[in-house]
Amino acid sequence: MIQNQVTNNTWSPIKISRHGLNFSHLLFVDDCLLFTEAKSSQVKLVRDVLQKICFASGLKINIQKSKFMSSSNVSRPKQHKFESLLQFNHTSHLGKYLGFPMLLGRIKNFDFNFILDKINGRLAGWKMNLLSRSGRITLAKSVVTAMPIYTMQNHWLPFGICENIDAIFRSFIWGRNYCHWVNWKNLTMPKSRGGLGIRTAKNLNISLLGKHIWDILHQPQKLWVQMLRHKYLSNTHIMHTPFKLGSFCIWRAIVKAVEILGQGFICRIGRGHVSIWYDK
């Protein structure tokens, strides 16, 4: 129904960039995200479409869990008008979606304190007393590797948060009242070089962001890759894109990872698809 409205030029989708893709709706499991211009006629159209969907499916929209968000250019009286038409409350911050923080503006340490709370809750003090040293290392490696991974793959965590994660790891291994008998740098070395193979939080964060670089280079058909390409990579390559203030936080995280991981990239001639001409 929404697609038909877009095809008939009744529904006005939004664009992330001037020559980018149109976005009218995104569906994920039982969640529905709708995008349209901030006009009363468009808001009424959204309301009518939702009413038809409810009538056809026999379902009902949860008003308490439904919100709408507008750009900063939309005035407050206009927002109130949209609230009365949709019966949805306006919000300036989406909070979390599927446990993932939807951050706007400058990122602060406070935004990621929930990761520290989760790790501290899993690595409780009584567990430390019940496990041997090797058991503590095994548990800490599994917890620290698994719990922040969802956030790390989309955000560049502040240095202070990464340091606190490593400090929790060290305290759990040695105990809060014991000396650290081995240097942390030695513990984080690979087992083949005499370490324990522990990955620091910052290195883990960088490696997870590197997956996005791979997708941008080799998976151009993905929707999010197309969106970022149109917005930030119109005439440049991902390995040479400059850092821009005011860009989306996830894109800033990817660019920071490029600056570090790019040092390990090399140009290699493959087969069949490259023609080299040399004019003397």
Side-chain angles (χ1 to χ4, degrees), residues 130-278:
L130 297 176
L131 297 173
S132 63
R133 190 86 66 191
S134 59
R136 296 180 194 175
I137 294 174
T138 302
L139 177 61
K141 286 175 68 175
S142 63
V143 169
V144 173
T145 302
M147 298 207 69
I149 193 172
Y150 188 57
T151 306
M152 281 184 171
Q153 64 183 343
N154 290 298
H155 278 303
W156 180 274
L157 265 61
F159 179 77
I161 294 295
C162 293
E163 283 292 303
N164 287 333
I165 292 175
D166 292 340
I168 295 172
F169 202 139
R170 292 192 295 266
S171 297
F172 187 77
I173 293 176
W174 298 111
R176 298 185 182 279
N177 299 321
Y178 291 88
C179 294
H180 299 184
W181 297 105
V182 181
N183 190 285
W184 178 243
K185 291 183 178 180
N186 296 333
L187 294 180
T188 56
M189 294 180 67
K191 291 184 178 180
S192 59
R193 298 174 59 186
L196 294 177
I198 299 173
R199 289 187 291 179
T200 62
K202 180 52 69 179
N203 287 341
L204 179 61
N205 190 191
I206 295 172
S207 63
L208 291 171
L209 289 171
K211 181 180 180 299
H212 294 321
I213 303 174
W214 177 266
D215 285 344
I216 292 173
L217 291 173
H218 300 283
Q219 302 289 336
Q221 74 280 3
K222 291 186 175 181
L223 181 63
W224 70 269
V225 173
Q226 295 180 46
M227 182 191 71
L228 292 180
R229 278 183 174 275
H230 282 102
K231 186 168 180 61
Y232 298 110
L233 297 175
S234 56
N235 298 313
T236 58
H237 192 272
I238 179 62
M239 304 309 298
H240 304 292
T241 183
F243 182 85
K244 295 182 180 179
L245 294 176
S247 56
F248 188 44
C249 58
I250 295 179
W251 179 251
R252 294 200 304 268
I254 295 175
V255 172
K256 289 181 180 179
V258 167
E259 295 175 355
I260 297 175
L261 297 177
Q263 301 173 15
F265 280 73
I266 60 173
C267 294
R268 179 176 296 172
I269 298 177
R271 355 175 159 167
H273 301 289
V274 179
S275 298
I276 298 178
W277 294 85
Y278 178 68

Side-chain angles (χ1 to χ4, degrees), residues 79-96:
Q79 293 173 2
H80 286 307
K81 186 176 182 180
F82 294 163
E83 286 180 333
S84 63
L85 292 173
L86 287 172
Q87 301 301 314
F88 296 166
N89 291 326
H90 175 267
T91 181
S92 57
H93 196 281
L94 295 178
K96 291 184 180 180

Side-chain angles (χ1 to χ4, degrees), residues 15 34 39 91 97 106 127-128 237 245 277 279:
K15 285 187 176 183
L34 305 178
K39 297 179 179 178
T91 181
Y97 181 69
R106 186 176 180 182
K127 294 181 181 179
M128 178 176 59
H237 192 272
L245 294 176
W277 294 85
D279 188 8

Side-chain angles (χ1 to χ4, degrees), residues 70-84:
S70 59
S71 67
S72 57
N73 297 326
V74 179
S75 63
R76 188 58 185 164
K78 210 170 184 179
Q79 293 173 2
H80 286 307
K81 186 176 182 180
F82 294 163
E83 286 180 333
S84 63

